[in-house]
Structure formats: structure tokens, C-alpha cells
Amino acid sequence: MLPIPYGRQEITAEDIEAVTRTLRSEYLTQGPAIATLEQQFASYLGSRFAVACSNGTAALHLACLALGLQPGQRVITSPLTFAASANCALYCGAQVDFVDIDPSTGLIDLTALESQLKRHPKGTFAGVIPVDYAGYPVDLARLHELSREYGFWVLEDACHAPGGGYAGGFRCGDGRFSQASIFSFHPVKHIAAGEGGMITTNCPKLYEDLKALRTHGITKDPQQLHSASPGGWYYEMQSLGFNYRLTDIQAALASSQLIRAEVNLQRRREIARRYDEALAPPGLELIVPEPGVDHAYHLYVVRLSQRKELYDFLQARQIYVQVHYIPIHLHPYYRDLGWKCGDFPQAERFYEQCLSLPMYPTLSQAQQKYVIDSITEFLERS
């Protein structure tokens, strides 16, 4: 039964067979498996288009480039996220601003965001990158209204939230209330391809730009060529792009994983319900979704003042919980940009108390009971 990590991929016989078929095919990269995955993923989320790339960070960078982010422009994101959510703007020469979180969800506080927008002339901020922390979807409908009023684009970082959304409202990545959304296929995510990323959008121009930018800005499309093609070998580099391609091997694995994505999502929600029932306060502070919120539960996050003590207690029992995340503005690189401790007190306090418990579809009831019993023992001792 031991050890029990906070997250774990599942590779089935069907996954292995899908990869094996690709290895036996004519294409290991730039082949048909890419388009197949993109079509399947767009269909799953309800978006018009999907563009596969090498990882979630590449997806963020490509999306910023395609959205036209320029040096000197300003972008807002949450301080409580992985560094890539902010770094992508810096890659484009832009400036990153942060807005503190709502401690009840871990999400960017949209009321605080609105206040920040009001303090600046309209058009000050080129974009906002909301993060669906732990799988809890940001209220994109409300953010969309703010974007229309203040003139910025929305790039949803939905790496934690495929399958999440608002009941009767939207599905993360469906493009209803954002220009683009990005996803990750890292091993601990819902869909594990080793590495990989995806960008979804409903905008045809953004879709075409993303496809070119992931492949050095090169195209062979006759309708896009500046000169008449002299032969089948001819291609043109029309913009400065990158090699951010996904391989067919990874795409085949992701496609196979996508087949059971909805079943695994329901399994995550079952695990969350058991945690909710067993770990209800007092002792721990839980993140309880509001009615109508479809949480995707990439992470199951609890908060307590004795976080370090519980972390050590569980580690000693081979329960390898994790902390998500060190606020971005507290990292040395961002401190050198001028940020400091105290700038975002809600995110800092959340970080000091948060702990991610084991959450993955193959977590057995016996394993979860061991986790719950261990936490209960710690709380009783404390």
C-alpha cells in the first residue's frame, strides 16, 4: 500500500498499445496522431480549435505571442500558482502584475482585480491570466465582463481543470469567456503524456497563428505563401516562432488517456467527497466549492496552522503530501524585480497553511483511509 504520493499517473495496457502502434507507424513526430488528439480534445471541452504543443509552459508562451503581447505591456495573474503562469509574459518582454487571492478558493480575487483595474486608465493592462487553482474554475463569465469594460484579453490557465466549469454555464477551455485556454499533460495531471500541452480557442486567426508559432513560424499552406510554390518542398518562415511541437508518441498516449478522462474525473470527485466528509472542521480548513461549481480536483488542498508539523508527520508514514505553491512574488527572481513579502498577504497566509493531500484516480479506498486515519491521529494528538 505504501508509499502514497500526492499525485500519480496511471498507464494501462491500452495506453501502452496506443504508443506501440505509433512506434510501429511511419511517424514519430509531425504525423496524424497530433491532429487526432487536437480534434478529440476540442470535442471533449467544446471548443472550436485545439493546438497541441510540447508542454504547458510552451502553451502559455505561444498563447501570449499569438495574442500579440508586446514588450512593455502589462499582464495580471495570481501570485498563487506555478511560476510559468507569470513567466510566460516575461518571455514576451512584458511586465507582470499580481492581484491577491480569495482565501476561500485559492483563486484570484475578482473583486480585488476590479479595484485594481479601476485605479488605472482603461487599456493599462493587455491581459489577465486567471488560474483554475487545484481544479476550482475561475468565474470566467464575470471576468469576461471586466475584460469588455477595461479592454484586456483573457488567457485561462486551466492546467488543473480539464472537465471543470460551472453547471449550466461554461466548461473550462470551451472558449466562451476567454480568448484562449491552456492545459498540461504532465504526469500528475488529468491526462498524462509524459510532457505535453494544449491550447484551445474559438478564434480562427488565433488558431492559425498558434500552429505557425509552434513550428518556427513556418508554413507550407499554399493559401498563406507569399510566393508561388515551385514544388512540394517549398515552405516559408513568415514569423519568428519556436520548436514547441508535440510528438506523435506523446499524442497517442494522451489520446488513449483522454478516453477515460471523464471516468477519472468522477473518481477524483468521489475521493474529494470522502475527504470532505472525514476531514470536516474543526482541525482543518477545507475548500468547499460553491453550488454550481464543477471542481476538477487536480489537487485536494487543506489548510491548518500546524502545516509543517503535519507535513513531517505524514512524510514519516510514507504519505508524500505536497505544498502548492510558494507565491511567485516571493521567489528570488521576482524579489529582484521589486516584489516583497507582505505585498499579497492572503496568498502568503494561504501558502503558510496549505497542504495537498493524495489525489489521483487509482488511490484506493484503503489508501485513502490510511491517509485520513493518519491525519485524524495527528489532529487528536495536537
Side-chain angles (χ1 to χ4, degrees):
M1 183 170 69
L2 298 174
I4 303 174
Y6 86 90
R8 172 179 282 161
Q9 74 271 19
E10 177 193 27
I11 302 298
T12 66
E14 291 78 12
D15 293 339
I16 294 170
E17 176 56 29
V19 172
T20 301
R21 284 197 301 271
T22 301
L23 291 172
R24 291 175 178 145
S25 74
E26 296 295 320
Y27 294 94
L28 297 185
T29 190
Q30 296 182 268
I34 309 298
T36 297
L37 172 63
E38 291 171 337
Q39 292 163 6
Q40 292 171 337
F41 199 81
S43 177
Y44 175 60
L45 296 184
S47 66
R48 288 186 65 189
F49 307 109
V51 178
C53 57
S54 53
N55 53 62
T57 302
L60 283 163
H61 187 200
L62 285 174
C64 285
L65 290 169
L67 287 165
L69 186 59
Q70 298 295 314
Q73 290 186 319
R74 297 170 70 177
V75 170
I76 294 173
T77 192
S78 167
L80 188 70
T81 180
F82 186 59
S85 304
N87 290 351
C88 59
L90 300 186
Y91 298 157
C92 298
Q95 177 182 330
V96 177
D97 290 83
F98 300 101
V99 166
D100 213 345
I101 66 163
D102 177 346
S104 67
T105 62
L107 304 177
I108 190 170
D109 186 330
L110 295 184
T111 300
L113 172 63
E114 185 172 7
S115 296
Q116 179 152 329
L117 293 169
K118 287 178 177 178
R119 291 194 295 269
H120 297 82
K122 291 183 179 181
T124 296
F125 299 100
V128 173
I129 304 175
V131 179
D132 298 321
Y133 175 76
Y136 199 125
V138 172
D139 185 352
L140 290 181
R142 181 181 175 189
L143 183 57
H144 175 67
E145 291 303 314
L146 291 175
S147 75
R148 294 179 66 182
E149 181 176 357
Y150 291 95
F152 57 83
W153 45 255
V154 175
L155 170 57
E156 179 191 18
D157 184 339
C159 283
H160 291 185
Y166 274 67
F170 66 89
R171 193 173 176 91
C172 295
D174 69 7
R176 288 187 60 187
F177 299 118
S178 64
Q179 277 67 36
S181 302
I182 70 98
F183 298 85
S184 168
F185 300 150
H186 184 274
V188 297
K189 299 296 197 302
H190 288 58
I191 297 167
E195 284 287 0
M198 188 72 77
I199 310 158
T200 60
T201 183
N202 290 341
C203 175
K205 183 180 186 308
L206 204 58
Y207 171 62
E208 295 297 335
D209 289 346
L210 287 166
K211 288 195 297 180
L213 287 167
R214 74 173 170 188
T215 312
H216 301 284
I218 287 173
T219 183
K220 295 183 71 173
D221 186 342
Q223 295 183 351
Q224 297 183 16
L225 296 177
H226 291 190
S227 303
S229 173
W233 68 87
Y234 187 73
Y235 61 87
E236 293 177 350
M237 177 182 157
Q238 298 177 344
S239 60
L240 183 60
F242 297 82
N243 183 357
Y244 280 166
R245 295 188 296 256
L246 188 72
T247 69
D248 279 56
I249 299 167
Q250 293 165 308
L253 177 54
S255 287
S256 181
Q257 296 248 320
L258 187 58
I259 292 170
R260 59 183 187 278
E262 197 62 25
V263 171
N264 284 346
L265 178 61
Q266 296 309 316
R267 172 69 179 146
R268 287 176 182 272
R269 289 172 175 161
E270 290 171 8
I271 292 168
R273 281 194 291 270
R274 283 201 292 272
Y275 277 139
D276 288 346
E277 294 167 1
L279 301 176
L284 296 177
E285 187 172 345
L286 310 182
I287 296 177
V288 181
E290 295 181 357
V293 172
D294 293 331
H295 200 305
Y297 288 107
H298 165 57
L299 304 173
Y300 188 91
V301 179
V302 300
R303 295 173 62 191
L304 74 163
S305 57
Q306 297 171 294
R307 191 270 306 278
K308 177 61 164 60
E309 291 82 357
L310 178 56
Y311 177 91
D312 291 340
F313 183 86
L314 295 176
Q315 290 276 118
R317 284 155 178 74
Q318 297 188 65
I319 301 171
Y320 297 115
V321 292
Q322 189 54 276
V323 172
H324 296 92
Y325 294 94
I326 300 170
I328 296 177
H329 69 287
L330 298 183
H331 287 288
Y333 180 88
Y334 279 87
R335 287 177 183 262
D336 288 344
L337 296 179
W339 302 107
K340 62 185 183 304
C341 186
D343 282 342
F344 305 103
Q346 296 292 359
E348 292 167 27
R349 189 176 302 114
F350 191 101
Y351 159 64
E352 291 169 356
Q353 297 178 341
C354 68
L355 202 62
S356 299
L357 304 186
M359 168 57 75
Y360 47 92
T362 57
L363 183 72
S364 69
Q365 290 195 32
Q367 288 173 319
Q368 189 177 14
K369 183 177 185 302
Y370 178 67
V371 173
I372 291 168
D373 288 348
S374 297
I375 294 172
T376 301
E377 179 184 347
F378 172 85
L379 294 174
E380 289 173 349
R381 289 186 183 186
S382 301

